[in-house]
Amino acid sequence: MKGILIIDGAMGTMLQKRGLSGNNDMFCLTRPEDIAAVHRAYIDAGADIIETCTFSSNAISQMEYA
């Protein structure tokens, strides 16, 4: 493939538009339908690459959420 690849954008912003807030990384487990819907929206908008929402999936960041 030649050209510019388009990657997905702000997962947190898209989840907030769906009325979700808090521990975004846990939504993969607790709200998988919302994660799938956000990914579908990026694919439909032309994204070539999508990522999981694991921005703060580490022990230090997760301590905030116990």
Side-chain angles (χ1 to χ4, degrees):
M1 174 183 224
K2 290 185 178 183
I4 298 171
L5 292 176
I6 306 299
I7 196 166
D8 67 353
M11 177 63 82
T13 301
M14 294 293 279
L15 291 173
Q16 286 176 358
K17 285 184 177 183
R18 298 182 68 78
L20 301 175
S21 64
N23 191 347
N24 289 346
D25 293 10
M26 285 299 293
F27 293 142
C28 290
L29 301 173
T30 61
R31 301 293 296 262
E33 66 283 354
D34 289 297
I35 299 299
V38 171
H39 285 175
R40 172 57 50 200
Y42 278 114
I43 290 169
D44 291 346
D48 298 303
I49 302 170
I50 58 172
E51 299 180 290
T52 60
C53 55
T54 56
F55 182 75
S56 61
S57 290
N58 60 71
I60 294 171
S61 296
Q62 290 299 306
M63 283 173 52
E64 177 181 341
Y65 300 103

